[in-house]
Amino acid sequence: MNIQTISTTPFKRQKPGTSGLRKKVSIFKQPHYLENFVQSIVDSLENFKGKTIVIGGDGRYYNQIAIQTILKMAAANGFGQALVGQKGRLSTPAVSAIIRKYHAFGGIILSASHNPGGPDGDFGIKYNISNGGPAPEKITEAIYASSQKINEYHIIETADVDLEQLGETVVGDMKVEIIDPVADYAALMEQLFDFESIKALFQSGFTMRFDAMHAITGPYATLILEEKLGAPQGTVMNGIPLIDFGGGHPDPNLVSAHDLVDIMFGDNAPQFGAASDGDGDRNMILGQRFFVTPSDSLAILAANATLIPAYKDGLAGIARSMPTSEAADHVADALDIDYYETPTGWKFFGHLLDAGKVTLCGEESFGTGSNHLREKDGLWAVLFWLNILAARQQSVETIVREHWAKFGRNFYSRHDYEGVNKEAAELLMENLYSTFSDLPGKQFGSRIVEYCDDFSYIDPVDHSISQNQGMRIGFQDGSRIIYRLSGTGTEGATLRVYLEYYEEDIAKHHLDAQDALADLIKLADEIAGIKKYTGYDKPSVIT
Ligand code: G16
């Protein structure tokens, strides 16, 4: 094996964010940039020689080029085997499923998730550990530390692998197996859900649209929904993965998934609509002219879990990220199970899932998942909803309204201010924090501040502490305003403002969320000076 050791120097800011390293393609294309980061991943691992690594990505521009480099580096560094998705494609949940099924040492996922792709778009890389989940902070910090002192990397000189052909080949001394990206994942879904009753639902004429947004879930959704479950052809839209996602922004929200939203809010809308993101871990759920917030979706899945074969014996507990609404907490209380509030980032759920403390996890950022994997899982959430719809034979809207009637409604919205000047955004956060000593007890209209803090989290399993996870202001009536800077953007800063208020009175449940939250929205600006610091009159995205 012709191993080359190449001298290099560190790149500043190769720091993994909320979910891996995300940068512009132009940054990744710099000589040594990708190699430095891959070697830094390897340098932070122990006892991997001879073991198996799973490699795949969301199919975006630069995916295949990066995979060829990573294969040559994995071989040079001594991995024994690589499992690679055909065409270099694997959804994030599929990587998690494959790592777990084949007891792999870990996995490398090439994705910038919901960020746009193409030569001028974003690229990303993340490392998953042997439980199938994102590397915890301890590892991402070690990767960053390695990247800041790296002086060489190892790579072998050999021909590229044919990523199109299923089957076995070698790269140096490392065995490489090109695998079907969909098969293992689809088999897992068949174990979890009642495919027969979902099939019967489609046979009865039930209508649905799934928007794959020209991203990775197209082939997964086509096989599972149309071929296995018998949904009519055309149920999956934008189902062909494209390297630039067709010029779109593969983020399943009301703004970016406009093709689906137009259909679901138009005349003759199908009964159910759903979308997933670039790498297939996010989901958006829609009924006929009806949007289900991700926070409500988590609560509804929890409340209905025993209708699903995999969860028929009940849930161990529920976890949600701090900015996610407290809707799931009400369900956990009613079920008399534990619930946990973690920082933003799926990596914080891993220990809770491994320790069997929780079965379901969810985030306001359109992510839901369970102990079947260690990643959030877009299509899983869609199948969960389909299974509930098949069992309850009611519309999405009726299920949600009945849920609110029983548990109360957590009015919720997230306001994003994208592309804000980084220094201005940081100043906003600093100045906000400096007001916190005076805020408790202060009255704003009818609301009195009960607490405010910069959220920190002690992991209940390994007791590690994660600080500076978002500014929280909680009011005595249970309302909350949370301010966070996104950790996934690649340009400037994105300020996220999360607004929530709980309403028990069923007579008010019909209100539009923005109307119900109007006074909190005003207050969020009054307290933090959003307009002043960002220069924005209104948010760029409201979900
Ligand atoms: C990633 C993480 C999620 C997180 C989301 C938003 O999702 O995996 O856990 O909630 O980013 O993070 P932020 O608010 O910092 O932008 P994905 O789908 O982008 O990998």
Side-chain angles (χ1 to χ4, degrees):
M1 197 163 56
N2 182 11
I3 300 179
Q4 313 262 304
T5 295
I6 311 285
S7 294
T8 186
T9 49
F11 288 90
K12 278 188 196 149
R13 292 188 283 278
Q14 277 202 326
K15 194 175 172 63
T18 312
S19 180
L21 184 70
R22 287 187 196 167
K23 300 280 176 197
K24 290 268 160 233
V25 166
S26 53
I27 292 186
F28 266 100
K29 273 184 157 174
Q30 296 171 89
H32 309 308
Y33 190 90
L34 174 72
E35 291 86 344
N36 272 21
F37 193 72
V38 172
Q39 188 65 50
S40 302
I41 293 175
V42 176
D43 289 346
S44 69
L45 307 176
E46 283 171 5
N47 301 324
F48 60 85
K49 300 248 176 199
K51 307 245 169 88
T52 299
I53 185 152
V54 179
I55 305 171
D58 62 13
R60 68 177 60 220
Y61 178 80
Y62 210 56
N63 192 18
Q64 296 201 354
I65 297 168
I67 288 179
Q68 299 292 356
T69 301
I70 294 167
L71 282 171
K72 290 170 195 169
M73 290 186 68
N77 280 284
F79 275 96
Q81 182 179 221
L83 302 177
V84 186
Q86 190 181 27
K87 298 182 194 288
R89 289 184 195 149
L90 283 174
S91 74
T92 288
V95 170
S96 190
I98 291 164
I99 291 175
R100 292 169 72 77
K101 180 166 178 177
Y102 298 103
H103 307 290
F105 184 83
I108 290 182
I109 305 173
L110 292 320
S111 171
S113 188
H114 55 287
N115 297 18
D120 300 323
D122 291 348
F123 192 71
I125 174 166
K126 49 187 178 173
Y127 179 71
N128 280 32
I129 59 174
S130 59
N131 72 354
E137 274 192 337
K138 206 168 70 188
I139 297 184
T140 54
E141 277 160 16
I143 296 172
Y144 178 54
S146 298
S147 77
Q148 295 309 290
K149 55 175 201 257
I150 190 165
N151 55 22
E152 60 182 34
Y153 63 83
H154 310 293
I155 189 161
I156 63 168
E157 222 179 53
T158 185
D160 283 355
V161 168
D162 181 356
L163 297 171
E164 300 289 323
Q165 287 302 318
L166 290 176
E168 270 186 37
T169 177
V170 288
V171 171
D173 294 342
M174 183 177 77
K175 217 167 91 181
V176 175
E177 199 173 334
I178 308 295
I179 58 173
D180 179 329
V182 184
D184 293 308
Y185 177 83
L188 177 61
M189 294 302 114
E190 282 188 76
Q191 282 168 27
L192 301 175
F193 298 106
D194 182 353
F195 269 40
E196 286 313 311
S197 72
I198 303 175
K199 246 190 240 172
L201 181 72
F202 282 121
Q203 266 160 13
S204 72
F206 180 83
T207 50
M208 164 182 186
R209 280 297 181 90
F210 176 86
D211 190 351
M213 305 190 84
H214 287 302
I216 191 71
T217 43
Y220 292 82
T222 305
L223 178 83
I224 295 172
L225 299 175
E226 296 186 4
E227 291 172 34
K228 287 187 184 281
L229 292 169
Q233 257 190 8
T235 296
V236 177
M237 52 194 275
N238 299 325
I240 310 280
L242 299 174
I243 56 169
D244 63 350
F245 309 116
H249 193 153
D251 195 355
N253 62 37
L254 291 171
V255 176
S256 302
H258 43 79
D259 288 355
L260 176 72
V261 170
D262 288 351
I263 292 171
M264 294 306 297
F265 285 81
D267 297 337
N268 304 318
Q271 287 155 287
F272 182 50
S276 191
D277 68 331
D279 61 333
D281 55 3
R282 295 185 174 206
N283 72 89
M284 175 169 71
I285 300 296
L286 300 171
Q288 265 169 338
R289 289 172 285 282
F290 193 83
F291 167 63
V292 185
T293 70
S295 298
D296 278 345
S297 180
L298 171 66
I300 290 162
L301 300 191
N304 291 278
T306 53
L307 297 173
I308 311 298
Y311 313 105
K312 67 177 186 334
D313 297 330
L315 307 174
I318 308 171
R320 61 165 176 83
S321 66
M322 180 274 284
T324 302
S325 98
E326 293 171 348
D329 306 2
H330 299 297
V331 178
D333 279 337
L335 295 174
D336 198 20
I337 57 174
D338 288 335
Y339 59 89
Y340 298 84
E341 187 177 48
T342 63
T344 294
W346 205 262
K347 60 190 171 208
F348 292 103
F349 295 135
H351 287 157
L352 296 170
L353 289 163
D354 285 350
K357 288 181 181 295
V358 301
T359 311
L360 293 189
C361 307
E363 294 188 278
E364 51 65 39
S365 54
F366 296 85
T368 339
S370 88
N371 58 356
H372 71 292
L373 295 179
R374 295 296 180 270
E375 284 281 4
K376 56 188 186 276
D377 189 347
L379 261 175
W380 166 90
V382 174
L383 292 168
F384 203 134
W385 265 96
L386 277 171
N387 206 150
I388 293 172
L389 291 165
R392 288 187 51 167
Q393 299 284 322
Q394 289 169 304
S395 72
V396 171
E397 180 169 349
T398 303
I399 290 171
V400 176
R401 292 199 183 281
E402 286 190 3
H403 184 91
W404 293 338
K406 186 166 172 190
F407 295 97
R409 177 171 180 189
N410 287 74
F411 281 102
Y412 185 84
S413 186
R414 185 177 99 183
H415 288 196
D416 291 338
Y417 298 81
E418 297 174 323
V420 176
N421 175 284
K422 216 163 177 251
E423 284 75 42
E426 279 161 7
L427 204 59
L428 179 153
M429 297 297 271
E430 270 170 40
N431 284 352
L432 174 64
Y433 188 64
S434 71
T435 66
F436 276 11
S437 49
D438 295 334
L439 274 189
K442 224 170 162 179
Q443 182 150 3
F444 294 93
S446 61
R447 297 178 207 274
I448 300 173
V449 176
E450 185 170 271
Y451 64 87
C452 46
D453 62 10
D454 189 350
F455 181 63
S456 70
Y457 175 68
I458 303 179
D459 184 301
V461 179
D462 74 354
H463 309 295
S464 58
I465 300 175
S466 303
Q467 287 171 320
N468 309 118
Q469 298 294 332
M471 306 289 177
R472 306 192 290 181
I473 302 177
F475 297 88
Q476 284 177 3
D477 65 355
S479 316
R480 299 192 303 162
I481 304 175
I482 292 147
Y483 306 80
R484 260 188 81 247
L485 296 184
S486 158
T488 55
T490 56
E491 262 174 349
T494 295
L495 170 69
R496 302 203 195 285
V497 182
Y498 311 83
L499 306 133
E500 171 175 20
Y501 120 80
Y502 178 65
E503 180 60 72
E504 221 164 356
D505 183 359
I506 192 171
K508 296 191 180 147
H509 287 174
H510 66 281
L511 289 174
D512 174 77
Q514 301 308 315
D515 294 339
L517 292 164
D519 64 324
L520 270 185
I521 294 169
K522 250 177 82 192
L523 202 50
D525 181 40
E526 189 182 325
I527 294 177
I530 299 172
K531 285 185 189 139
K532 184 175 119 197
Y533 285 103
T534 64
Y536 278 82
D537 281 350
K538 52 180 180 29
S540 35
V541 180
I542 295 181
T543 43

